[in-house]
Amino acid sequence: MNQFGHAFRLAIFGESHGPAVGITLDGVPAGIPLSTEDFEADLARRRGGAAGTTPRSEADRPTILSGLYEGHTTGAPLTILFENNNTHSQDYAGLRDHCRPSHADRVATDKYRGFNDPRGGGHFSARLTVALVAAGVVAKKILPEGISFATRLCAVGAEQCPERFDEVIAAARAEGDSVGGIIETRVEGIGSGWGEPLFDSVEGWMAHLLFAIPAVKGIEFGDGFAVATRRGSENNDLIIDAQGTTATNHAGGVDGGITNGNPIVVRVAMKPTPSIAREQMTFNRASGLVEPLQIRGRHDACVALRGQVVVEAVAAIALAELYLRA
Amino acid sequence: MNQFGHAFRLAIFGESHGPAVGITLDGVPAGIPLSTEDFEADLARRRGGAAGTTPRSEADRPTILSGLYEGHTTGAPLTILFENNNTHSQDYAGLRDHCRPSHADRVATDKYRGFNDPRGGGHFSARLTVALVAAGVVAKKILPEGISFATRLCAVGAEQCPERFDEVIAAARAEGDSVGGIIETRVEGIGSGWGEPLFDSVEGWMAHLLFAIPAVKGIEFGDGFAVATRRGSENNDLIIDAQGTTATNHAGGVDGGITNGNPIVVRVAMKPTPSIAREQMTFNRASGLVEPLQIRGRHDACVALRGQVVVEAVAAIALAELYLRA
Amino acid sequence: MNQFGHAFRLAIFGESHGPAVGITLDGVPAGIPLSTEDFEADLARRRGGAAGTTPRSEADRPTILSGLYEGHTTGAPLTILFENNNTHSQDYAGLRDHCRPSHADRVATDKYRGFNDPRGGGHFSARLTVALVAAGVVAKKILPEGISFATRLCAVGAEQCPERFDEVIAAARAEGDSVGGIIETRVEGIGSGWGEPLFDSVEGWMAHLLFAIPAVKGIEFGDGFAVATRRGSENNDLIIDAQGTTATNHAGGVDGGITNGNPIVVRVAMKPTPSIAREQMTFNRASGLVEPLQIRGRHDACVALRGQVVVEAVAAIALAELYLRA
Amino acid sequence: MNQFGHAFRLAIFGESHGPAVGITLDGVPAGIPLSTEDFEADLARRRGGAAGTTPRSEADRPTILSGLYEGHTTGAPLTILFENNNTHSQDYAGLRDHCRPSHADRVATDKYRGFNDPRGGGHFSARLTVALVAAGVVAKKILPEGISFATRLCAVGAEQCPERFDEVIAAARAEGDSVGGIIETRVEGIGSGWGEPLFDSVEGWMAHLLFAIPAVKGIEFGDGFAVATRRGSENNDLIIDAQGTTATNHAGGVDGGITNGNPIVVRVAMKPTPSIAREQMTFNRASGLVEPLQIRGRHDACVALRGQVVVEAVAAIALAELYLRA
């Protein structure tokens, strides 16, 4: 299903090469000032065109179809539409049988018995993340004052020094290849008490949404996988004041599924784009043979670049849900 | 909220030191043979008493209150109850103000304005995982024939050699300490086409549920965080036959949120139990001072030991949900 | 499914002749004073034994399994259990094939392929309304101060004069028959603004829940079906002050799905109990013939009597859901 | 909230005088042939212009934004948009304070603190039923072959003879007034076993959705309120064959919340349009006085005329939900 949330609900729709992609947001409180300009900064962070990103350039101008009146949200569903203008559908001919490895093409064709829109990955395309970014912009406006998001690339491939990221990406691109990366979002200013034990934990909601982003294969909070290597005496975050400030933040701001008032830290591993220019030997259902596949189209050499704002948006969406409930 | 799922719904309840913990399962198809003996094997895997686990020993006999008639499920809600018999509530006196670090005690006291049951972590206790394990037993029976689960400890602390795990745990215990670990569940025999893009991805559902397990701080599928370090040409799983078998399984059996027919592999990082015997310097709200805290009670030196069957149960629950929908 | 609600969630379970029926309530705010005595008054209103009701007499003592600590709700799920003590299961032998008319027996046997618990209607039994009444007690405590419920029988059979209801019921019983009735619940003190347009209307939520009560076949708000006979100029509720008080209340307190501050009035039609002592000619699947059926067991001559507190409980549950969201 | 359903989900959006109204349908199976022409017949039944309906005439051409590829549904969300072209927003100036009686204007203004779109009732407008009709068209295509819907007006005002309905409506209109009505939808060909006891009953789902239609104040199944007047021996539907055919159909095709294979019969009371040309004395918040209100704009003299196809659509939507789950 393509709907998510209880207090802040998303209904996402669209395909990469269809007329439009969009999202309907329900539960947005009335009276929030909003204009299409408010989306510009985050959309620009996601937009293609920079080094390492796809040359496909969409204007990405949001059209607000409902839920806005005289510059404020109305409390009714807010529908935000992005038209698809810059599509090269012919690039995708023939991928029904000779499926791109590590893409959704094959599973989608099987699951939907060949009725899915295959152009550019159809509904599975990372194009839909433009709608998540738009939802993130609204989510940030729902959250109370004083909350800030800081998102960065921690790694590109095996490289962890930011100054060398461009180099690593350029090298991959030059070889007709792509490269993965790790994104971190840090949220400061969240009070104590958001989220719930068990199924409505902060981590659970964020993780559920983060895995909606294509290419995400791992998620960790605070020190994440590193905590497994530790002793309890090393890993415990000792409380130092009445507000619950902790001397360390190994937990990434969440205890028992609930925010503890310290910064939330979430880290996400994105795989290298599976669409690469290099020839790949993979099964062709038309011929019944493993054959060389040459993928055309325009692709990111490192989706983690543009993925940063998407991860941040999704974190904001999950927090807006929990905030509206708390 | 403590309810989860659409086609296979869980409603969990109970506290560590209350009369009972339990779970109501809805959506269980009618006609599945079921008896309390069916729970024994998985409950035994979770039960305390082994080296490295808490000496608290509950009989853990499930009582089935509803949804069972003449040895078969009826299609009505199945409620499974576990009485709490072996509680030492006096061990927890005084933890309201002098909160255990890296536990939910403080956030829970604040969120519920002091009305939460503090004994043994109350509703936040790992005691509730007994209900998840029971749900997992039913989930496995819902899944079609031919699906197998294999779960193992990949690491205990920094140690990755299984033969030395006991040693590492014993050393931690001897020092009044605890140690973290990494658990892997591998599911074979799942066909292609379970799950959906975006919000109902296999990864999203599993991750959401996995974070309901206390102590989980990281989750990865397939090669997980390692994929971030790779090139696309290294990471792509080339398809080798008409069934979609792949030469490698870096993706852990999921493409575009949907199972691709290859084994599902999920790995989970569990932190070291925060309840340790060693004295900890942490804030006491009663005195307003950072003071030494001595935690009593009976605790696991490595929760990842007993966590294995819980992770497996939760994977089965998520798969049952997606199977019943597919 | 047997779960309902978003902000105030119910998960109901149990069968008429199983070990117990019960309900888990999630979303109950922490800190509400609650004891098993609080349930007594409403349970007494529902209990069998009075003229016109079944002689089956259950003690109906609630056991609270979770969510309560030192006399207050904890914010964790509240599970309330009612043991079944007084069951005569042998009364129901043979009803698998020779199904009781206008009961769920036949559809349940087909839908669950014979695995449903047939004793006393199993999970379809009105016995489960004891759990709804208990949920209603909690719901009333969730609602803000100053809200009052008044529930009455408007009609028993064709009789609308309350003084003659007992007579009508006694006459039906004397003839081995049963009789229907109409129940009205009136809620005063609800402020303006609860509920939402379209799918979360006050009427929609209440109606959804009211149809969970066995025997309900019609629901109307305010003047209900009578409004269809009127002109707009007769039916409009003219506003007379700044608070939105209306000169008339044809709407029953709801405009556009949202409470308008005037009393909520809901009316429910309950059919006569289908279980009657009189012989009925109905199909027997064992013989393949239409044959006389003699129903044994203990049954209400007018379920609308005991239905009153159930309708009121369900109205309270729906309002608690909308209040917690508003 | 404006989202509804589990297996067949609706997300509705839009305002009467905004750019568009629309709906996103999720859970639509892949492979259903669909074109914009398929919507024409039902949209024509809803369209204004006939005697008794508003002179506002919208072309009501659906635009399908997503979920359709080469003439078939894809399994991805199906978004259907209707642009609003024929709006006279100036007709609604001044209604913020001098609220139309029995409309949502006042409650909406309060609930959304004046941020709601007031033009033409905004999001509360019956304009949104165009989206429900479109969803109904898709729902009918989801349902299996052999199911037929028959919908009729049972009453207009107090008149029950169809030949005199036009007369009654014309008389109301001539006097600047409106008139209510009763709509019946009958569904034949539904098999046994759809729906569930308690919260997912056929009646509960249908009723929940039916109350999303503006002006609906009462709902009944089968003989509805009339069953309350009867004896059990009169009201029971005796089974006459192995398929569960009943000699009578007082129950309207539903026992215990589940379809029994006999025709489903649902009846809905719609109030007279509150927007009438006649002057009404109602409170004006600007002046603090009860003052005469003259409503301008174009309105239906009997909304039950156009409501017929909406009721039928909503019945189809509820059945599609239950069918996809069964």
Side-chain angles (χ1 to χ4, degrees):
Chain A
M1 291 290 173
N2 301 275
Q3 301 185 1
F4 195 73
H6 291 291
F8 179 50
R9 297 193 197 184
L10 320 181
I12 198 169
F13 57 87
E15 287 86 23
S16 182
H17 292 214
V21 300
I23 197 161
T24 296
L25 306 177
D26 207 357
V28 181
I32 298 177
L34 187 72
S35 73
T36 52
E37 285 71 42
D38 292 328
F39 295 89
E40 185 45 40
D42 276 359
L43 290 174
R45 292 167 66 192
R46 184 194 162 278
R47 194 168 296 132
T53 64
T54 167
R56 172 176 172 178
S57 177
E58 293 279 0
D60 285 348
R61 288 191 204 287
T63 302
I64 299 180
L65 283 183
S66 64
L68 193 72
Y69 179 63
E70 296 187 342
H72 293 80
T73 58
T74 63
L78 188 71
T79 297
I80 308 166
L81 203 72
F82 295 88
E83 293 184 19
N84 292 327
N85 303 309
N86 195 315
T87 56
H88 290 201
S89 299
Q90 70 283 10
D91 289 338
Y92 297 89
L95 294 181
R96 271 282 192 225
D97 292 316
H98 205 180
C99 296
R100 297 176 298 175
S102 293
H103 259 288
D105 298 359
R106 191 189 67 81
V107 294
T109 295
D110 285 1
K111 183 177 179 79
Y112 304 106
R113 294 167 295 118
F115 289 107
N116 61 304
D117 181 345
R119 299 168 301 167
H123 185 59
F124 289 78
S125 167
R127 171 74 182 141
L128 277 88
T129 60
V130 73
L132 293 176
V133 171
V137 168
V138 178
K140 289 173 185 172
K141 286 176 163 275
I142 291 172
L143 293 172
E145 295 276 308
I147 292 174
S148 64
F149 291 81
T151 300
R152 65 185 184 96
L153 263 182
C154 306
V156 169
E159 181 60 61
Q160 300 188 17
C161 170
E163 284 160 33
R164 303 193 48 192
F165 289 167
D166 284 351
E167 213 171 304
V168 174
I169 295 168
R173 177 186 297 284
E175 296 172 43
D177 217 333
S178 61
V179 66
I182 295 176
I183 296 164
E184 181 184 275
T185 287
R186 185 183 169 87
V187 193
E188 304 214 26
I190 300 283
S192 195
W194 300 20
E196 299 190 36
L198 292 150
F199 309 131
D200 285 351
S201 70
V202 173
E203 295 116 321
W205 274 85
M206 273 202 194
H208 197 148
L209 275 168
L210 286 166
F211 277 119
I213 306 173
V216 170
K217 297 305 283 185
I219 291 172
E220 58 182 15
F221 289 86
D223 292 353
F225 275 84
V227 305
T229 65
R230 298 215 190 99
R231 289 281 182 90
S233 57
E234 298 165 310
N235 193 59
N236 283 357
D237 294 315
L238 300 175
I239 303 171
I240 59 173
D241 65 22
Q243 286 70 50
T245 309
T246 51
T248 49
N249 186 20
H250 301 308
V254 186
D255 283 326
I258 296 178
T259 57
N260 65 19
N262 294 282
I264 296 176
V265 181
V266 58
R267 222 167 296 104
V268 166
M270 294 188 90
K271 70 178 183 184
T273 331
S275 288
I276 54 177
R278 291 173 69 162
E279 188 178 281
Q280 299 178 84
M281 291 299 290
T282 196
F283 193 76
N284 187 338
R285 293 200 276 201
S287 66
L289 299 172
V290 170
E291 293 179 335
L293 170 72
Q294 189 76 46
I295 297 177
R296 285 180 186 74
R298 301 155 295 167
H299 304 285
D300 289 55
C302 178
V303 282
L305 281 178
R306 295 166 64 188
Q308 292 175 84
V309 69
V310 184
V311 167
E312 182 178 304
V314 157
I317 292 166
L319 289 170
E321 164 74 26
L322 299 174
Y323 169 68
L324 287 175
R325 291 203 209 175
Chain B
M1 291 292 173
N2 300 277
Q3 302 187 357
F4 195 72
H6 291 291
F8 179 51
R9 297 192 198 184
L10 321 181
I12 198 168
F13 57 89
E15 288 84 24
S16 182
H17 292 215
V21 300
I23 196 161
T24 296
L25 306 177
D26 206 358
V28 181
I32 299 177
L34 187 74
S35 73
T36 52
E37 286 70 43
D38 293 328
F39 295 89
E40 186 44 39
D42 277 359
L43 290 174
R45 293 167 66 193
R46 183 193 164 281
R47 192 168 298 133
T53 63
T54 166
R56 170 175 174 180
S57 178
E58 293 280 359
D60 285 348
R61 288 191 205 285
T63 302
I64 299 181
L65 283 183
S66 65
L68 194 73
Y69 179 63
E70 297 186 341
H72 292 81
T73 59
T74 63
L78 188 72
T79 297
I80 308 166
L81 203 71
F82 295 89
E83 293 184 18
N84 293 327
N85 304 308
N86 194 315
T87 55
H88 289 202
S89 300
Q90 70 283 11
D91 290 339
Y92 297 90
L95 294 181
R96 272 281 193 228
D97 291 317
H98 205 179
C99 295
R100 296 177 297 175
S102 294
H103 260 288
D105 298 358
R106 191 190 66 80
V107 294
T109 294
D110 285 1
K111 183 178 179 77
Y112 303 106
R113 294 168 293 118
F115 289 107
N116 60 305
D117 181 344
R119 299 168 300 167
H123 186 58
F124 289 79
S125 167
R127 172 73 182 141
L128 277 87
T129 60
V130 74
L132 294 176
V133 170
V137 168
V138 178
K140 289 173 185 171
K141 287 175 163 273
I142 290 172
L143 293 173
E145 295 276 309
I147 291 175
S148 64
F149 291 80
T151 300
R152 63 184 185 97
L153 264 183
C154 306
V156 169
E159 182 59 61
Q160 300 190 15
C161 170
E163 284 161 33
R164 304 192 48 193
F165 289 167
D166 285 351
E167 212 171 303
V168 174
I169 296 167
R173 176 186 298 283
E175 298 174 40
D177 216 332
S178 62
V179 65
I182 294 176
I183 295 165
E184 180 184 277
T185 286
R186 184 182 169 88
V187 194
E188 304 215 26
I190 300 283
S192 195
W194 300 20
E196 298 190 38
L198 292 149
F199 308 131
D200 284 350
S201 70
V202 173
E203 294 116 321
W205 274 84
M206 275 202 192
H208 197 148
L209 275 168
L210 287 166
F211 278 119
I213 306 173
V216 170
K217 297 305 284 184
I219 291 171
E220 57 182 16
F221 289 86
D223 293 354
F225 275 84
V227 305
T229 65
R230 298 216 190 98
R231 289 282 181 88
S233 58
E234 298 165 310
N235 193 61
N236 283 357
D237 294 316
L238 300 176
I239 303 170
I240 60 175
D241 65 22
Q243 285 70 49
T245 309
T246 52
T248 50
N249 186 21
H250 302 306
V254 186
D255 284 326
I258 296 178
T259 57
N260 65 20
N262 294 281
I264 296 176
V265 182
V266 58
R267 222 166 296 104
V268 166
M270 293 188 91
K271 70 178 182 184
T273 331
S275 287
I276 54 176
R278 292 174 69 163
E279 188 178 281
Q280 300 179 82
M281 291 299 289
T282 196
F283 193 77
N284 187 339
R285 293 201 276 200
S287 66
L289 299 172
V290 170
E291 293 180 335
L293 170 73
Q294 189 76 46
I295 297 178
R296 285 180 186 73
R298 300 155 297 167
H299 304 285
D300 289 56
C302 178
V303 283
L305 281 178
R306 296 166 64 188
Q308 291 175 84
V309 69
V310 184
V311 167
E312 182 178 304
V314 157
I317 292 167
L319 289 171
E321 164 76 27
L322 299 174
Y323 169 67
L324 288 176
R325 292 203 207 174
Chain C
M1 289 293 172
N2 301 275
Q3 302 187 358
F4 195 73
H6 290 291
F8 178 51
R9 298 194 197 184
L10 320 181
I12 198 168
F13 57 88
E15 288 84 24
S16 182
H17 292 214
V21 300
I23 197 161
T24 297
L25 307 177
D26 206 357
V28 181
I32 298 178
L34 187 73
S35 73
T36 53
E37 286 71 42
D38 293 327
F39 295 89
E40 186 44 40
D42 276 359
L43 290 174
R45 293 168 66 192
R46 183 194 164 279
R47 194 169 297 133
T53 64
T54 168
R56 171 175 173 179
S57 179
E58 293 281 0
D60 285 350
R61 288 190 205 287
T63 302
I64 299 181
L65 283 182
S66 64
L68 194 72
Y69 179 64
E70 296 186 341
H72 292 80
T73 58
T74 62
L78 187 72
T79 297
I80 308 167
L81 203 71
F82 295 89
E83 292 185 19
N84 293 327
N85 303 310
N86 195 315
T87 55
H88 290 201
S89 300
Q90 70 284 10
D91 289 339
Y92 297 90
L95 294 180
R96 272 279 194 228
D97 291 318
H98 205 180
C99 295
R100 297 177 297 175
S102 293
H103 259 289
D105 297 358
R106 191 190 66 81
V107 295
T109 296
D110 286 1
K111 184 178 178 78
Y112 303 106
R113 293 166 296 117
F115 289 108
N116 60 305
D117 181 345
R119 300 168 301 166
H123 186 58
F124 289 80
S125 168
R127 172 74 182 141
L128 277 88
T129 59
V130 74
L132 293 177
V133 171
V137 169
V138 178
K140 289 173 186 172
K141 287 175 164 275
I142 291 173
L143 293 173
E145 294 276 309
I147 291 175
S148 63
F149 291 80
T151 300
R152 64 184 184 98
L153 264 183
C154 306
V156 169
E159 182 59 61
Q160 300 189 17
C161 169
E163 284 161 31
R164 304 191 49 193
F165 289 167
D166 284 351
E167 215 172 302
V168 174
I169 295 168
R173 177 187 296 283
E175 297 173 42
D177 216 334
S178 62
V179 66
I182 294 177
I183 295 164
E184 182 184 277
T185 287
R186 184 182 169 88
V187 194
E188 303 214 28
I190 301 283
S192 195
W194 300 20
E196 298 190 36
L198 292 150
F199 309 131
D200 284 350
S201 71
V202 173
E203 295 116 322
W205 274 85
M206 274 202 194
H208 197 148
L209 275 168
L210 286 167
F211 278 118
I213 306 173
V216 171
K217 296 305 284 187
I219 290 171
E220 57 182 16
F221 289 86
D223 293 353
F225 275 85
V227 306
T229 66
R230 300 217 188 97
R231 290 280 182 89
S233 57
E234 298 166 310
N235 194 60
N236 284 357
D237 294 316
L238 301 176
I239 302 171
I240 59 173
D241 64 21
Q243 285 69 49
T245 309
T246 51
T248 50
N249 187 19
H250 301 307
V254 186
D255 285 325
I258 296 178
T259 57
N260 65 19
N262 295 281
I264 296 177
V265 181
V266 59
R267 221 168 295 104
V268 166
M270 293 189 91
K271 71 178 182 184
T273 331
S275 287
I276 55 176
R278 293 175 67 163
E279 188 178 282
Q280 300 180 81
M281 293 297 291
T282 196
F283 193 77
N284 187 337
R285 294 200 276 201
S287 66
L289 299 172
V290 170
E291 292 179 336
L293 170 72
Q294 190 75 48
I295 296 177
R296 284 181 187 74
R298 300 154 297 166
H299 304 286
D300 289 55
C302 179
V303 282
L305 282 178
R306 296 166 64 188
Q308 291 175 84
V309 68
V310 185
V311 167
E312 181 178 304
V314 157
I317 293 167
L319 289 171
E321 164 75 27
L322 299 175
Y323 168 67
L324 288 175
R325 290 203 210 174
Chain D
M1 291 291 173
N2 301 275
Q3 302 188 359
F4 196 73
H6 290 291
F8 179 50
R9 297 194 197 184
L10 320 181
I12 199 169
F13 57 88
E15 287 86 24
S16 182
H17 292 215
V21 300
I23 197 161
T24 297
L25 307 177
D26 206 358
V28 181
I32 298 177
L34 187 74
S35 73
T36 54
E37 285 72 42
D38 293 327
F39 295 89
E40 185 45 40
D42 277 359
L43 290 175
R45 293 167 66 192
R46 184 194 162 280
R47 192 168 298 132
T53 63
T54 167
R56 172 176 171 177
S57 178
E58 293 280 359
D60 284 348
R61 287 190 206 288
T63 302
I64 300 180
L65 283 183
S66 64
L68 194 73
Y69 178 63
E70 295 186 344
H72 292 80
T73 58
T74 62
L78 188 71
T79 298
I80 308 167
L81 203 71
F82 295 89
E83 293 185 18
N84 293 327
N85 303 309
N86 194 315
T87 55
H88 290 200
S89 299
Q90 70 284 9
D91 290 338
Y92 297 89
L95 294 181
R96 271 283 192 223
D97 292 316
H98 205 179
C99 295
R100 297 177 297 175
S102 292
H103 259 290
D105 298 358
R106 191 189 66 82
V107 294
T109 295
D110 284 1
K111 185 178 177 77
Y112 303 105
R113 294 167 293 120
F115 289 108
N116 61 305
D117 181 345
R119 298 168 301 165
H123 186 58
F124 289 79
S125 168
R127 171 74 183 143
L128 277 88
T129 60
V130 73
L132 293 176
V133 170
V137 168
V138 177
K140 289 172 185 173
K141 287 176 163 273
I142 290 173
L143 293 172
E145 294 276 308
I147 291 174
S148 64
F149 291 81
T151 300
R152 64 184 184 97
L153 262 184
C154 305
V156 169
E159 182 59 60
Q160 300 189 16
C161 170
E163 283 161 33
R164 303 191 50 192
F165 288 166
D166 285 352
E167 214 171 301
V168 174
I169 296 168
R173 177 186 296 285
E175 297 173 42
D177 216 334
S178 62
V179 65
I182 295 176
I183 296 165
E184 181 184 276
T185 286
R186 186 182 167 88
V187 193
E188 303 214 29
I190 300 284
S192 197
W194 300 21
E196 298 190 38
L198 292 151
F199 309 131
D200 285 350
S201 70
V202 173
E203 295 117 321
W205 274 84
M206 274 202 194
H208 197 148
L209 275 168
L210 286 166
F211 278 119
I213 306 174
V216 170
K217 296 306 284 185
I219 291 171
E220 57 182 16
F221 289 85
D223 293 353
F225 276 84
V227 305
T229 67
R230 300 217 188 97
R231 290 282 182 87
S233 58
E234 298 166 310
N235 193 60
N236 282 358
D237 294 316
L238 301 175
I239 303 171
I240 59 174
D241 66 21
Q243 285 70 51
T245 310
T246 51
T248 49
N249 187 20
H250 302 307
V254 185
D255 284 326
I258 296 179
T259 58
N260 65 19
N262 294 280
I264 296 176
V265 181
V266 59
R267 222 167 296 103
V268 167
M270 293 188 90
K271 70 177 183 184
T273 332
S275 288
I276 54 176
R278 291 174 67 164
E279 189 178 281
Q280 300 180 82
M281 292 298 290
T282 198
F283 192 77
N284 187 337
R285 294 201 274 201
S287 66
L289 299 172
V290 171
E291 293 180 335
L293 171 73
Q294 190 75 49
I295 297 177
R296 286 181 185 74
R298 300 154 297 166
H299 304 286
D300 289 56
C302 178
V303 282
L305 282 177
R306 297 165 63 187
Q308 291 175 85
V309 69
V310 184
V311 167
E312 181 178 304
V314 157
I317 292 167
L319 289 170
E321 164 75 27
L322 298 174
Y323 169 68
L324 287 176
R325 290 203 210 175

